[in-house]
Amino acid sequence: MCGIVGYVGNKNAQDFLVSGLKRLEYRGYDSAGIVTVSKNGEATLIRAKGKIVNLEEKIAKEKKDDKIGIGHTRWATHGEPSEANAHPHQAGSIYLVHNGIIENYKDLKETLKDFKFESDTDSEVLAALIDSFYDNGKHPLVNAVVQALKLVKGTYGIAVISKNNPEEIIVARAGSPLVIGVGKDETFLASDASALVGHTKRAIYLNDGEVARLTKDSIEIKTLNAEPVSAKVEEIETNLAAIQKGGYDHFLLKEIMEQPESLVETLRGRINAETGVVKLGGPGLTDTELRKIKHLIIVGCGTAYHAGLLAGYYIEQFTPEITIETVIASEYRYRQAYIPEDSIALIVSQSGETADTLACLREIKKQGVKTIGIVNAIGSTIAREVDGGTYVHVGPEISVASTKAFTSQVIAMVMFGITIAQAKGVRAGALKPYVDEIVKMPEEIRAVLNEVNDSMKTVAGNYKKYEHAIYLGRGTAYPTAMEGALKLKEVSYIDANAYAFGELKHGPLALVDDRFFEMVLLPEGELYEKAVSNVQEVLARGGHVVIITNSDEFDLEVENVVKITTSLKLFAPILMNLVSQLFAYYMTVAKGYNVDQPRNLAKSVTVE
Ligand code: G6P
């Protein structure tokens, strides 16, 4: 969603701002803008609807060598995507960029009768409010910002500069992340550390309720109540290669293909192939605490939710005396759900910033339930607020559609489940098949990707003309089918829905006709025969069936069989999901859509 960048130093601010905004493009946006201020207080505000190239074209006509500025990519919430609604917003001598939502903006607007509003945004109201306290430089800008924020209800990450003092940027955060990059005679700002990579490795993550005054050689952080904060400088681990396409046409394909390596990172130091023992340091639970667990709540949105569903199917197979409930964060936060004693909550999020997931985390914590993060983005809000956690360590995921994170989230949760089972005294022999397959999985993933990559291009091409798809599976193949359908719809815009095969006769079978194709995940195992019968039911109604299977037995006449060769039995559905990922990718390429930034979507959904 919206992105923020800022710069104060001795270099050209426009250059950093544009390159920083480009790094944040993956988050999803529909307009962009920057403002820079010269030494003698002349501001250059440039905004454009649409992609950053549009902004760059305008900047090329107004090139400046200013040394301070702020920039923004906007994902519309209040007001349509347009130049007037794009940030930065100006009010008097100040300029503001804002991520988040000002909930009481209408009430605040009422108090600003003299201000001539030019946009429909809540953010412009905040700019006007700050300006009213700033009173054209009669008060320090930082004080004006604090006074205004004390009246605000909602979420924000903001950066503010003034023409009166082009040496300082004031930033503040409540619910929307901001990272300050510490340089030599220069200070950077971004809503996501990836914009800082290559400029500095030293970062300060601002906390909620903090305000900072940035100059090129100082960073002063206080709370809104004026208590000084001693900031912790942390190292940014990401490197440039991790945020570049590395020879691939799209990040989505790169991230699908990276899975053999990214999963190795998830497993590193956590699983002993010889003894079969899994050890996770991050959750910080003793064996006694693990033994006591009776209930797991798994919370996530989108792909993270599907990862939780799939992990739940596995964990209950080998962990005795446990119930598992996987919930959609945006629903769960408003339910009156009872959480039984001896529960643990797994909070699953690639970005660690998803607003609904974060809200659930806070609600669950209030009830005294221990929370464990299954998070990718290091230093993210969820990672910082959970009681303990296991980072999945897959590196930056840039494409909006989540792929490598899914695989590693499932396995990280299964490993957590194994630690519970170990503590509960489950024999090593019973857990061994799971551990053995997890250890082998990175190489099995590599083999399957090689095996099916070329053929998926052709298979996807065959189904380009369809507008509807039904994904079907049983057991562990069912949540996997849900994830496959999500992948297809989010990038190729084909209307795709997943059903548990057993539900077919309760409704979806009525859909089968020439407008639909059916993607069937058919792993070997005890449900195989039942699923084959279901396939026959679809074929009997003239279905256009594609089968993804690891079985050599399948002999029905269907339009396409994608056979994967693997020694994995329990986790074969995870390998089938690679096929779904590639299918969605090649379908989108065939249709000529924007692969990495699908319309209307954002990588990190930081508003409700
Ligand atoms: C967005 C992304 C999805 C992601 C979901 C949850 O919708 O486009 O790919 O699965 O948010 O994100 P999280 O960062 O919490 O895993």
Side-chain angles (χ1 to χ4, degrees):
M1 287 199 146
C2 308
I4 286 179
V5 286
Y7 179 82
V8 50
N10 298 322
K11 297 192 191 128
N12 184 298
Q14 282 187 335
D15 290 348
F16 170 77
L17 297 177
V18 171
S19 71
L21 289 180
K22 281 190 180 162
R23 295 264 183 85
L24 302 182
E25 276 193 292
Y26 77 96
R27 299 173 65 93
Y29 69 103
D30 35 46
S31 58
I34 63 167
V35 65
T36 58
V37 182
S38 70
K39 273 210 176 80
N40 50 12
E42 267 167 43
T44 307
L45 172 67
I46 307 171
R47 300 181 294 184
K49 191 179 157 186
K51 292 289 169 197
I52 290 177
V53 285
N54 304 349
L55 183 70
E56 280 182 295
E57 278 167 20
K58 286 182 151 186
I59 294 173
K61 292 181 196 138
E62 279 192 83
K63 207 62 202 130
K64 299 283 162 169
D65 197 24
D66 303 338
K67 313 294 188 205
I68 183 168
I70 53 178
H72 191 260
T73 43
R74 173 172 186 261
W75 191 86
T77 55
H78 294 71
E80 54 165 19
S82 68
E83 193 175 323
N85 287 335
H87 302 212
H89 289 292
Q90 181 183 5
S93 59
I94 72 141
Y95 294 85
L96 165 135
V97 292
H98 166 227
N99 286 355
I101 291 180
I102 309 296
E103 286 165 11
N104 58 339
Y105 78 103
K106 283 191 182 139
D107 297 342
L108 295 172
K109 206 168 179 177
E110 285 293 305
T111 69
L112 297 161
K113 289 258 188 298
D114 296 337
F115 189 83
K116 198 175 154 295
F117 286 96
E118 283 172 6
S119 79
D120 308 317
T121 67
D122 52 334
S123 309
E124 193 185 16
V125 176
L126 179 56
L129 189 64
I130 295 172
D131 179 55
S132 71
F133 288 116
Y134 185 52
D135 204 2
N136 204 21
K138 287 206 188 100
H139 309 283
L141 183 57
V142 66
N143 293 3
V145 169
V146 169
Q147 273 179 288
L149 291 181
K150 283 191 170 168
L151 300 178
V152 159
K153 285 200 195 107
T155 54
Y156 55 80
I158 57 165
V160 186
I161 59 174
S162 161
K163 289 198 276 192
N164 293 347
N165 186 14
E167 284 168 8
E168 62 176 7
I169 306 177
I170 309 299
V171 303
R173 141 170 200 167
S176 270
L178 285 178
V179 194
I180 300 164
V182 188
K184 195 171 171 333
D185 289 329
E186 56 186 352
T187 303
F188 306 88
L189 172 73
S191 50
D192 175 331
S194 62
L196 307 180
V197 174
H199 298 282
T200 177
K201 275 199 156 299
R202 304 175 68 219
I204 297 170
Y205 293 86
L206 212 63
N207 289 309
D208 279 353
E210 291 178 356
V211 180
R213 179 175 176 272
L214 317 179
T215 68
K216 67 176 181 179
D217 45 23
S218 70
I219 296 163
E220 293 156 38
I221 308 181
K222 290 191 175 158
T223 66
L224 275 186
N225 296 324
E227 293 140 9
V229 173
S230 66
K232 193 166 128 222
V233 179
E234 297 179 39
E235 183 156 335
I236 301 175
E237 289 181 10
T238 311
N239 58 31
L240 267 181
I243 53 172
Q244 288 167 345
K245 286 190 194 140
Y248 287 99
D249 288 343
H250 302 100
F251 282 109
L252 184 56
L253 186 58
K254 177 187 180 224
E255 287 158 11
I256 292 171
M257 290 305 186
E258 257 169 18
Q259 291 177 91
E261 294 83 30
S262 57
L263 184 58
V264 166
E265 294 308 315
T266 313
L267 306 184
R268 193 178 295 287
R270 291 168 167 167
I271 194 159
N272 185 322
E274 258 105 75
T275 60
V277 172
V278 175
K279 273 211 165 86
L280 302 174
L285 298 171
T286 62
D287 271 2
T288 316
E289 286 172 306
L290 287 167
R291 205 166 16 248
K292 271 175 66 185
I293 298 175
K294 293 220 172 67
H295 183 64
L296 276 185
I297 313 165
I298 309 181
V299 184
C301 298
T303 290
Y305 165 65
H306 293 155
L309 279 176
L310 181 54
Y313 268 72
Y314 284 114
I315 297 170
E316 67 191 12
Q317 288 174 6
F318 55 73
T319 310
E321 294 159 8
I322 197 165
T323 54
I324 303 170
E325 186 190 13
T326 303
V327 295
I328 296 171
S330 56
E331 285 297 309
Y332 193 74
R333 64 183 288 190
Y334 296 114
R335 278 169 52 191
Q336 312 292 317
Y338 164 70
I339 307 182
E341 242 178 77
D342 300 321
S343 292
I344 290 277
L346 296 183
I347 312 294
V348 194
S349 176
Q350 186 285 126
S351 63
E353 302 293 350
T354 302
D356 285 317
T357 312
L358 179 59
C360 277
L361 159 64
R362 289 176 179 163
E363 282 299 318
I364 290 171
K365 274 182 91 170
K366 264 194 223 153
Q367 299 195 38
V369 176
K370 270 227 165 114
T371 54
I372 305 295
I374 305 292
V375 172
N376 186 36
I378 293 167
S380 57
T381 310
I382 291 175
R384 272 132 44 97
E385 291 196 15
V386 284
D387 298 303
T390 295
Y391 278 121
V392 296
H393 286 307
V394 299
E397 201 183 57
I398 307 284
S399 188
V400 165
S402 186
T403 50
K404 59 179 178 173
F406 173 83
T407 306
S408 284
Q409 285 162 345
V410 175
I411 296 306
M413 284 185 267
V414 170
M415 285 198 293
F416 180 71
I418 293 176
T419 65
I420 302 175
Q422 287 170 174
K424 284 181 184 275
V426 174
R427 311 177 280 116
L431 298 173
K432 192 107 185 11
Y434 293 88
V435 172
D436 285 351
E437 289 205 5
I438 291 173
V439 170
K440 280 197 274 179
M441 197 178 294
E443 282 316 310
E444 298 273 338
I445 288 177
R446 191 186 309 283
V448 168
L449 288 173
N450 285 338
E451 183 179 19
V452 300
N453 186 28
D454 285 341
S455 58
M456 286 325 289
K457 224 178 279 184
T458 322
V459 179
N462 294 343
Y463 292 89
K464 206 175 122 180
K465 62 174 194 281
Y466 289 88
E467 284 180 15
H468 307 279
I470 298 179
Y471 279 62
L472 294 156
R474 275 178 177 266
T476 47
Y478 170 48
T480 317
M482 291 169 81
E483 174 55 15
L486 174 63
K487 232 33 26 174
L488 189 70
K489 82 179 99 178
E490 68 186 321
V491 290
S492 78
Y493 314 147
I494 292 177
D495 162 42
N497 287 296
Y499 301 97
F501 243 146
E503 281 293 293
L504 198 63
K505 290 194 274 288
H506 301 292
L509 198 54
L511 295 171
V512 172
D513 68 15
D514 287 342
R515 295 168 308 146
F516 284 75
F517 68 92
E518 293 77 30
M519 181 67 89
V520 175
L521 277 62
L522 188 62
E524 283 178 332
E526 57 173 353
L527 298 175
Y528 176 81
E529 293 300 340
K530 286 190 196 304
V532 171
S533 309
N534 294 142
V535 173
Q536 273 168 324
E537 289 159 7
V538 177
L539 289 174
R541 271 106 195 148
H544 301 277
V545 176
V546 184
I547 299 285
I548 308 173
T549 188
N550 55 338
S551 166
D552 291 323
E553 311 279 289
F554 187 80
D555 59 0
L556 296 178
E557 283 265 321
V558 297
E559 288 186 3
N560 280 283
V561 178
V562 182
K563 170 77 185 18
I564 60 167
T565 316
T566 175
S567 67
L568 301 193
K569 302 247 173 303
L570 300 161
F571 291 108
I574 291 194
L575 304 179
M576 294 177 181
N577 190 50
L578 307 173
V579 178
S580 297
Q581 291 174 347
L582 286 170
F583 182 74
Y585 171 72
Y586 285 117
M587 180 68 82
T588 309
V589 172
K591 291 184 134 203
Y593 294 143
N594 187 334
V595 172
D596 290 324
Q597 291 160 30
R599 68 187 180 203
N600 308 338
L601 300 182
K603 182 68 181 161
S604 178
V605 180
T606 50
V607 294
E608 234 191 298

